[in-house]
């Protein structure tokens, strides 16, 4: 549970009364010593200096950070005994480090304290961790933070819950934002059988040090691994709550759609698709030539239908469908989570090829990848697939070409600082409303 620094003087309610009294005095002394600048900065109603007779402190005086400062996220484990947190605060204050926020993660034999710190720019990470270790912190981890980390934990979690509630495909991304740099794998449900376990995972999930496993409503498992830092029970409870929210709301995708007018005057609609569109997607497969299916799936044509349920599932990414006026799907674009490099894939029905539909779908997929913070997107295709090659070039992004076992992999670097990537200008729009693909595909997500 996140605590403002004005609450640090409060003790844990589940500790004995005598320990609470000792802790209150010690922590209050540490906060007074280390956080003199926090209260007036965070509260605009603090009295001006001339009301108290104080003068503004000169830059560089003790307790005042230098003009150049650095934000750090730090975790350390302290003993569950009076004075442990107080000693840590005093040590940080001695290095002119400002504690901006604090979260506590109770353990059986200690407490994991997670800090957001503002430190003098000249203070190196090794010096910061050394200071904490000398003050009694153990298993200390530290990394650079940015302005996004200034949002307090309850606000951030509520925002992630909102994203998840609006779009089922946001669940893996929300888990990544919640848990930091980690690897997320979505494992599909078994073909047969039932029971309360899947790969040894109970319905309530399982937590094993640096790995947590959570059950999905379809019977599959979301595996989250963070080898550099063990998960705490608090993080496990938060992640499980997000998955439970997703389960209760059921399948859902945003309702908005675009109207795309092709150069010859035909109108198509482009909107999100999911497993509810499985029958229409299979019908499109039936209308595609064997060569079109082979170039898309790089395998036996007869296996193409097997991939659709996986590809349309929001567990593994997002799908856009282009439809005619009568609702028939004539094009599919997939964005599949695969770590920092996210896969994009296209399939357009033969009779609708070479009209710019694939390029339009690809532009929207890359925009989604940029909004999700993906560093790059890649397409797995063949050199003879001139349509896919041209669509990737039409993005206007830096491209990298590699040949892997006779397959062409084109990677585009995405500028996530720009709100959206350019769309190829081959049609007009009206907006309304608000490769390596297989059934064993594992969607992996890593924080940039």
């Amino acid at each position: 549970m996140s605590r403002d620094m004005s609450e640090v003087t409060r003790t844990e309610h589940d500790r004995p009364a005598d320990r609470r009294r000792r802790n209150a005095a010690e922590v209050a002394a540490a906060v007074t010593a280390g956080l003199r600048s926090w209260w007036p900065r965070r509260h605009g109603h603090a009295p001006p200096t001339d009301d108290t007779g104080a003068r503004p402190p000169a830059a560089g005086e003790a307790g005042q950070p230098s003009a150049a400062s650095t934000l750090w996220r730090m975790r350390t484990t302290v003993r569950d005994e009076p004075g442990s947190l107080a000693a840590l605060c005093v040590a940080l204050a001695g290095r002119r480090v400002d504690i901006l926020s604090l979260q506590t993660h109770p353990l059986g034999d200690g407490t994991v304290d997670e800090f957001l710190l503002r430190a003098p720019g000249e203070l190196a990470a090794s010096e910061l961790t050394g200071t904490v270790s000398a003050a009694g912190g153990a298993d200390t981890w530290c990394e650079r933070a940015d302005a996004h980390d200034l949002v307090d934990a309850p606000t951030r979690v509520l925002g992630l819950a909102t994203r998840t509630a609006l779009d089922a495909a946001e669940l893996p991304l929300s888990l990544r934002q919640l848990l930091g740099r980690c690897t997320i794998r979505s494992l599909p449900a078994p073909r047969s059988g039932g029971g309360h376990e899947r790969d040894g995972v109970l319905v309530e999930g399982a937590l094993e040090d640096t790995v947590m496993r959570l059950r999905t409503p379809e019977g599959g498992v979301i595996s989250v691994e963070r080898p550099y830092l063990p998960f705490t029970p608090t993080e496990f409870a938060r992640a499980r709550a997000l998955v439970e929210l997703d389960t209760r709301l059921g399948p859902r995708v945003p309702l908005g759609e675009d109207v795309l007018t092709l150069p010859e005057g035909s109108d198509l609609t482009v909107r999100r698709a999911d497993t509810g569109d499985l029958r229409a997607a299979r019908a499109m497969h039936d209308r595609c030539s064997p060569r079109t299916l082979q170039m898309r799936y790089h395998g036996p044509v007869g296996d193409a239908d097997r991939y659709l349920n996986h590809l349309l599932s929001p567990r593994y990414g997002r799908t856009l469908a282009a439809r005619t006026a009568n609702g028939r799907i004539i094009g599919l674009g997939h964005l599949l989570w695969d770590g920092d490099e996210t896969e994009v894939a296209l399939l357009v029905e033969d009779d609708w090829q070479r009209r710019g539909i694939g390029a339009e779908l690809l532009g929207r997929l890359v925009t989604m990848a940029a909004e999700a913070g993906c560093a790059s997107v890649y397409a797995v295709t063949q050199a003879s697939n001139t349509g896919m090659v041209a669509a990737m070039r039409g993005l206007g992004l830096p491209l990298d070409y590699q040949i892997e076992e006779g397959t062409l992999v084109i990677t585009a670097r995405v500028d996530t600082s720009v709100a959206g990537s350019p769309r190829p200008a081959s049609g007009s729009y009206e907006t309304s409303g608000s490769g390596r693909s297989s059934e064993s595909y594992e969607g992996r997500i890593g924080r940039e």
Side-chain angles (χ1 to χ4, degrees):
M1 181 176 184
S2 177
R3 298 183 295 176
D4 281 340
M5 292 311 303
S6 58
E7 297 175 311
V8 172
T9 56
R10 302 179 188 174
T11 55
E12 302 295 335
H13 296 292
D14 56 351
R15 294 179 178 175
D18 56 344
R19 180 181 299 177
R20 291 203 300 270
R21 287 191 294 270
R22 290 195 300 271
N23 257 354
E26 293 169 323
V27 176
V31 173
T32 301
L35 304 176
R36 297 180 187 275
S37 63
W38 181 85
W39 183 264
R41 183 178 66 254
R42 294 289 292 270
H43 297 267
H45 54 266
T49 55
D50 54 4
D51 285 354
T52 61
R55 64 173 177 84
E61 285 187 353
Q64 295 300 315
S66 59
S69 61
T70 304
L71 293 176
W72 295 95
R73 293 176 59 237
M74 185 187 73
R75 280 194 181 196
T76 191
T77 302
V78 298
R79 298 183 301 275
D80 187 14
E81 60 184 39
S84 58
L85 179 58
L88 203 60
C89 292
V90 170
L92 291 172
R95 300 304 298 266
R96 297 186 293 124
V97 176
D98 191 5
I99 300 175
L100 302 181
S101 69
L102 167 64
Q103 296 183 65
T104 60
H105 302 254
L107 303 176
D109 55 352
T111 300
V112 174
D113 288 332
E114 181 174 356
F115 297 90
L116 178 63
L117 306 172
R118 177 181 285 117
E122 66 272 12
L123 188 65
S126 57
E127 296 178 285
L128 186 58
T129 56
T131 299
V132 171
S133 297
D139 300 322
T140 302
W141 164 87
C142 186
E143 75 169 4
R144 293 286 292 270
D146 57 33
H148 296 91
D149 294 305
L150 293 172
V151 178
D152 67 295
T155 301
R156 183 160 55 90
V157 172
L158 285 172
L160 296 177
T162 300
R163 287 174 51 179
T164 303
L166 294 174
D167 187 350
E170 288 287 334
L171 178 62
L173 299 175
S174 295
L175 288 172
R176 179 183 68 176
Q177 293 294 323
L178 176 68
L179 302 171
R181 187 179 297 115
C182 59
T183 299
I184 298 180
R185 295 182 175 91
S186 295
L187 308 177
R191 292 183 176 275
S192 60
H196 296 286
E197 296 190 15
R198 199 279 188 191
D199 294 339
V201 180
L202 298 174
V203 174
E204 294 79 10
L207 174 61
E208 302 172 2
D209 198 31
T210 60
V211 179
M212 70 170 71
R213 296 180 176 88
L214 303 164
R215 288 288 301 274
T216 65
E218 303 86 1
V221 173
I222 295 177
S223 172
V224 187
E225 184 174 357
R226 189 176 62 188
Y228 69 95
L229 190 65
F231 292 112
T232 66
T234 300
E235 290 177 309
F236 178 65
R238 291 172 179 172
R240 189 171 60 184
L242 271 181
V243 174
E244 183 178 352
L245 172 66
D246 176 76
T247 300
R248 289 181 177 273
L249 293 176
R252 62 207 177 279
V253 294
L255 299 178
E257 65 179 24
D258 286 349
V259 177
L260 169 62
T261 301
L262 298 179
E264 71 270 18
S266 302
D267 284 345
L268 301 176
T269 59
V270 179
R271 61 180 173 87
R272 291 280 298 279
D274 60 8
T275 51
D277 300 291
L278 183 59
R279 180 178 297 180
R282 284 176 175 167
M284 187 190 74
H285 271 187
D286 293 340
R287 296 190 299 270
C288 290
S289 67
R291 173 174 170 76
T292 293
L293 294 176
Q294 186 178 34
M295 294 185 71
R296 164 62 184 91
Y297 295 106
H298 318 292
V301 174
D303 292 340
D305 284 354
R306 293 198 303 113
Y307 302 141
L308 278 176
N309 192 65
H310 171 90
L311 293 171
L312 292 172
S313 171
R315 289 281 171 266
Y316 308 102
R318 301 174 184 173
T319 298
L320 290 176
R323 303 171 184 267
T324 61
N326 60 7
R328 187 177 69 179
I329 293 180
I330 51 88
L332 289 173
H334 303 286
L335 185 72
L336 301 170
W337 310 132
D338 189 10
D340 293 343
E341 294 184 343
T342 303
E343 183 179 0
V344 289
L346 300 172
L347 177 64
V348 178
E349 190 178 324
D350 293 63
D351 292 342
W352 292 85
Q353 291 178 7
R354 297 179 180 84
R355 302 190 191 184
I357 298 172
E360 300 292 353
L361 293 175
L362 182 61
R364 288 166 168 78
L365 295 175
V366 173
T367 297
M368 290 181 177
E371 292 171 347
C374 300
S376 62
V377 298
Y378 70 85
V380 181
T381 186
Q382 302 173 24
S384 58
N385 190 348
T386 57
M388 187 65 184
V389 174
M392 291 293 289
R393 288 177 176 171
L395 291 171
L397 299 172
L399 300 179
D400 176 71
Y401 300 85
Q402 292 183 346
I403 298 293
E404 296 181 2
E405 300 179 356
T407 300
L408 176 62
V409 179
I410 309 174
T411 302
R413 292 193 295 275
V414 177
D415 185 2
T416 57
S417 66
V418 179
S421 300
R423 292 174 177 170
S426 59
S428 59
Y429 315 88
E430 294 179 7
T431 304
S432 62
S434 43
R436 295 173 188 170
S437 308
S438 66
E439 284 189 326
S440 61
Y441 177 93
E442 296 178 342
R444 297 180 295 280
I445 299 181
R447 183 179 177 183
E448 292 75 36

